[in-house]
């Protein structure tokens, strides 16, 4: 692990008012003078209570390897045992944060996978008066602590380069948990025979290890706390990218014939700590399920593995279809993260790509929504695990499948809530514009005896390393814009969350 260096920034807690457009039940109530938006899912009432904190780390901040600290909003989790409430009513802890594959605007780079630790002190703001942008950042202080680099077999550095070759599976990987399936690699010759990762999801385990999910495979990997690869989970064949001849082709530069769509792999990863069930969800539909077009990529897949016993291969125990939200033009709002909240229910961060650093200033949809698999069809172990049997053709779901129930919930772009923290959506394109790519969720218990089901929902944006003073692999670059690493915190009521979820 690298030595530590400190940096203090600010974080703020945000919960926003949900979108009524497609919610089956939607109304507002007042609780402690705060406006709450309430929705009902499976007869359970959930409430979004507004932004309580905001913060950022500047786009030009350099982490311990000498690279710009960026992109870490791809996945966050609380380091176990660090969440505490202080005597003055504030909260402290450590966030573990994951960037994806480095500064890759002009092509993928040889970026070694890593995770950062960031200490914080959260002082949530519940007032109605609008804070200035600088004052808002004082609601949570962030202190960069360290960075851990990650290695694969034979202590080789992982890479973020596009996979141009495949490492053959190790004989017996289907039975023995520490042998590898066919792996996406940089190239077939030494020293380029290295695992490539585009990390998008993370779970912190009780034993100090971490599950991470990536886009290239899309695979799920378990790494030690010191950054060494332990094991790999390969999903069903329907998800694996293959060419027209049926061969693996993990590139993100072109569509496969079947399997996950490029850059639409396992964006979401979460754990049910009671049953030790690991869940992963594709960002949108596979190619054969309609993933080649935003107009037909709505029906994505959620998978569940039993990871109770680390000495045996994780067993696939569930698979469901989740209908993602769509724009007014019928385009899919891809899902960038999920979080288990108990009893077959999940948060889902679905969004467009607009905002600071995006295609347009004005974002139409950024939400932490809810969905439930309670009444959905479990399709694991059926014909649909073969790529020859799609769950949807041209965006039309197979009539034998009942999808999950999806309900809009926390709205990131509510103008009143953003203004309370000196933020805005739309013009002008300045540092107070909300970032485009929000990609992570983490829950922490508030411990409010008056509202025992209330939680802080932390979320972070992936700034794509965009900076006018960036450094990538030791080389300075100018991306033409400064997109700071923004973080938001919401207050939400989640009655389905079991006592251990979000707790240490």
């Amino acid at each position: 692990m690298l030595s530590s260096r400190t940096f203090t920034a600010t974080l703020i807690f945000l919960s926003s008012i949900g979108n009524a457009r497609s919610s089956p039940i939607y109304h507002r109530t007042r609780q402690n003078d705060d406006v709450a938006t309430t929705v009902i899912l499976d007869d359970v009432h959930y409430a979004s209570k507004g932004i309580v904190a905001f913060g950022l780390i500047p786009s030009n901040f350099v982490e311990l390897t000498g690279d710009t600290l960026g992109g870490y909003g791809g996945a966050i989790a609380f380091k176990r045992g660090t969440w505490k409430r202080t005597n003055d009513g504030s909260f402290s802890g450590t966030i573990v944060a994951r960037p994806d594959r480095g500064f890759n605007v002009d092509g993928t780079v040889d970026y070694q996978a890593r995770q950062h630790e960031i200490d914080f002190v959260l002082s949530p703001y519940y007032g109605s008066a609008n804070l200035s942008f600088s004052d808002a950042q004082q609601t949570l202080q962030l202190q960069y602590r360290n960075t851990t680099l990650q290695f694969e077999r034979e202590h080789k550095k992982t890479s973020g380069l596009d996979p141009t070759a495949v490492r053959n599976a190790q004989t017996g990987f289907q039975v023995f948990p520490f042998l590898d399936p066919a792996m996406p690699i940089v190239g077939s010759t030494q020293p380029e025979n290295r695992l490539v990762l585009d990390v998008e999801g993370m779970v912190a385990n009780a034993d100090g290890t971490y599950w991470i999910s990536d886009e290239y495979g899309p695979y799920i990997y378990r790494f030690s706390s010191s950054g060494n690869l332990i094991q790999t989970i390969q999903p069903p064949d329907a998800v694996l990218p293959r060419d027209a001849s049926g061969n693996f082709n993990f590139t993100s530069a072109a569509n496969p014939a079947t399997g996950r769509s490029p850059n639409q792999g396992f964006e979401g990863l979460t754990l049910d700590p009671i049953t030790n069930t690991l869940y992963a969800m594709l960002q949108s539909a596979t190619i054969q399920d309609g993933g080649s077009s935003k107009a037909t990529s709505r029906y994505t897949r959620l998978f569940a593995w039993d990871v109770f016993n680390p000495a045996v291969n994780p067993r696939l125990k569930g698979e469901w279809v989740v209908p993602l939200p769509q724009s007014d033009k019928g385009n899919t709002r891809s899902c960038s993260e999920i979080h288990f909240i108990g009893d077959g229910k999940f948060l889902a961060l679905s969004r467009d790509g607009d905002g600071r650093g995006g295609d347009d200033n004005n974002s139409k949809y950024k939400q932490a929504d809810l969905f439930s698999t309670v009444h959905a069809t479990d399709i694991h172990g059926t014909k649909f695990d073969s790529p020859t049997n799609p769950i949807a053709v041209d965006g039309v779901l197979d009539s034998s499948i009942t999808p999950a129930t999806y309900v809009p919930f926390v709205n990131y772009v509510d103008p009143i809530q953003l203004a309370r923290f000196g933020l805005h959506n739309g013009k002008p394109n300045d540092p107070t514009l909300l970032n485009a790519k929000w990609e992570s969720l983490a829950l922490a218990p508030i411990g409010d005896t008056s509202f025992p089901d209330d939680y802080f929902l932390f979320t972070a944006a992936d700034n794509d390393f965009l900076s006018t003073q960036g450094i990538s692999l030791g080389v300075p670059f100018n991306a033409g814009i400064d997109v700071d690493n923004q973080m938001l915190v919401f207050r939400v009521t989640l009655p389905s969350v079991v006592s251990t979820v979000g707790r240490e």
Side-chain angles (χ1 to χ4, degrees):
M1 182 171 290
L2 303 173
S3 60
S4 64
R5 172 181 173 186
T6 59
F7 168 80
T8 302
T10 328
L11 176 64
I12 300 188
F13 211 37
L14 152 65
S15 186
S16 50
I17 296 173
N19 185 338
R21 182 171 61 87
S22 56
S23 176
I25 299 178
Y26 178 92
H27 60 275
R28 300 180 183 224
T29 61
R30 285 196 173 268
Q31 233 170 234
N32 285 354
D33 296 325
D34 290 330
V35 174
T37 299
T38 303
V39 300
I40 299 176
L41 179 64
D42 293 344
D43 298 322
V44 178
H45 290 72
Y46 297 86
S48 171
K49 296 184 175 180
I51 302 176
V52 297
F54 162 78
L56 60 82
I57 293 179
S59 65
N60 64 348
F61 178 74
V62 176
E63 46 104 329
L64 293 172
T65 69
D67 281 347
T68 306
L69 179 72
Y72 67 75
I76 61 172
F78 295 110
K79 186 174 182 180
R80 285 182 172 260
T82 65
W83 174 258
K84 296 177 183 178
R85 181 168 186 155
T86 58
N87 292 333
D88 63 0
S90 62
F91 303 82
S92 66
T94 300
I95 292 173
V96 181
R98 297 289 317 226
D100 46 26
R101 54 181 177 175
F103 177 67
N104 61 100
V105 171
D106 298 320
T108 59
V109 297
D110 194 13
Y111 185 80
Q112 186 175 2
R114 64 198 68 185
Q115 62 190 40
H116 309 296
E117 290 188 7
I118 301 169
D119 295 337
F120 65 86
V121 177
L122 168 66
S123 302
Y125 173 68
Y126 296 104
S128 58
N130 292 348
L131 298 174
S132 69
F133 185 62
S134 59
D135 286 346
Q137 294 173 54
Q138 302 307 311
T139 58
L140 184 76
Q141 298 173 350
L142 298 174
Q143 187 176 50
Y144 171 76
R145 175 183 287 273
N146 57 39
T147 296
T148 301
L149 297 173
Q150 294 191 315
F151 301 83
E152 63 135 332
R153 307 304 185 197
E154 303 175 2
H155 204 63
K156 292 185 292 189
K157 295 180 180 180
T158 60
S159 177
L161 286 167
D162 190 72
T164 57
V166 179
R167 182 190 300 158
N168 291 334
Q170 294 178 305
T171 302
F173 80 90
Q174 301 96 331
V175 177
F176 298 102
F178 307 118
L179 298 179
D180 295 328
M183 302 282 264
I185 58 174
V186 174
S188 57
T189 60
Q190 294 290 350
E192 295 305 312
N193 182 5
R194 292 180 291 128
L195 174 67
V196 293
L197 294 172
D198 182 3
V199 179
E200 298 292 352
M202 174 176 56
V203 166
N205 297 316
D207 63 0
T209 63
Y210 292 87
W211 290 106
I212 64 169
S213 61
D214 99 306
E215 301 239 71
Y216 283 137
Y219 284 164
I220 300 169
Y221 303 93
R222 186 159 65 99
F223 279 84
S224 69
S225 59
S226 58
N228 295 302
L229 177 63
I230 299 173
Q231 71 181 113
T232 304
I233 298 177
Q234 185 182 62
D237 202 38
V239 175
L240 301 176
R242 296 183 184 272
D243 62 23
S245 299
N247 300 313
F248 286 120
N249 188 352
F250 293 107
T251 181
S252 62
N255 284 345
T258 60
R260 61 98 184 104
S261 182
N263 303 309
Q264 298 286 299
F266 282 147
E267 281 271 339
L269 189 72
T270 188
L271 180 76
D272 174 0
I274 299 299
T275 64
N276 284 284
T277 301
L278 186 69
Y279 295 93
M281 193 166 86
L282 294 173
Q283 190 170 10
S284 65
T286 66
I287 291 295
Q288 70 271 17
D289 296 335
S292 60
S293 168
K294 289 184 178 180
T296 58
S297 61
R298 182 186 189 192
Y299 293 105
T300 190
R301 300 188 189 213
L302 172 73
F303 297 90
W305 285 272
D306 181 352
V307 294
F308 174 77
N309 187 350
V312 301
N313 265 338
R315 176 180 61 86
L316 183 67
K317 59 184 290 187
E319 180 182 353
W320 303 269
V321 176
V322 179
L324 298 176
Q326 296 175 299
S327 70
D328 293 339
K329 295 182 179 179
N331 291 328
T332 300
R333 308 293 197 190
S334 297
C335 183
S336 293
E337 183 61 294
I338 59 173
H339 201 294
F340 179 76
I341 58 170
D343 191 27
K345 299 175 184 64
F346 301 81
L347 290 166
L349 203 175
S350 297
R351 60 170 178 81
D352 57 26
D354 299 324
R356 181 76 166 172
D359 298 328
D360 187 275
N361 296 336
N362 187 30
S363 175
K364 303 292 194 304
Y365 198 100
K366 296 191 196 308
Q367 299 201 167
D369 296 327
L370 295 164
F371 72 86
S372 169
T373 62
V374 171
H375 302 295
T377 305
D378 183 353
I379 63 172
H380 90 281
T382 69
K383 66 178 183 178
F384 298 112
D385 281 339
S386 168
T388 60
N389 297 295
I391 61 171
V393 177
D394 295 331
V396 179
L397 185 64
D398 188 287
S399 61
S400 68
I401 299 174
T402 299
T405 304
Y406 195 101
V407 178
F409 186 39
V410 177
N411 179 14
Y412 285 41
V413 294
D414 180 270
I416 295 175
Q417 289 296 310
L418 291 177
R420 290 178 57 234
F421 292 87
L423 296 164
H424 73 278
N425 179 37
K427 295 180 180 180
N429 187 355
D430 62 18
T432 68
L433 175 62
L434 191 70
N435 277 7
K437 297 177 63 175
W438 294 85
E439 295 192 353
S440 55
L441 301 171
L443 281 178
I446 298 175
D448 187 337
T449 55
S450 298
F451 303 100
D453 295 325
D454 279 16
Y455 289 80
F456 290 134
L457 176 62
F458 284 66
T459 183
D462 175 1
N463 75 336
D464 276 342
F465 295 81
L466 296 176
S467 175
T468 60
Q469 303 174 65
I471 302 175
S472 174
L473 308 183
V475 179
F477 68 85
N478 183 346
I481 187 173
D482 291 313
V483 180
D484 296 324
N485 297 276
Q486 294 182 352
M487 301 186 81
L488 296 168
V489 188
F490 302 73
R491 181 163 176 152
V492 291
T493 303
L494 305 172
S496 63
V497 175
V498 291
S499 60
T500 59
V501 176
R503 301 178 189 268
E504 307 303 338

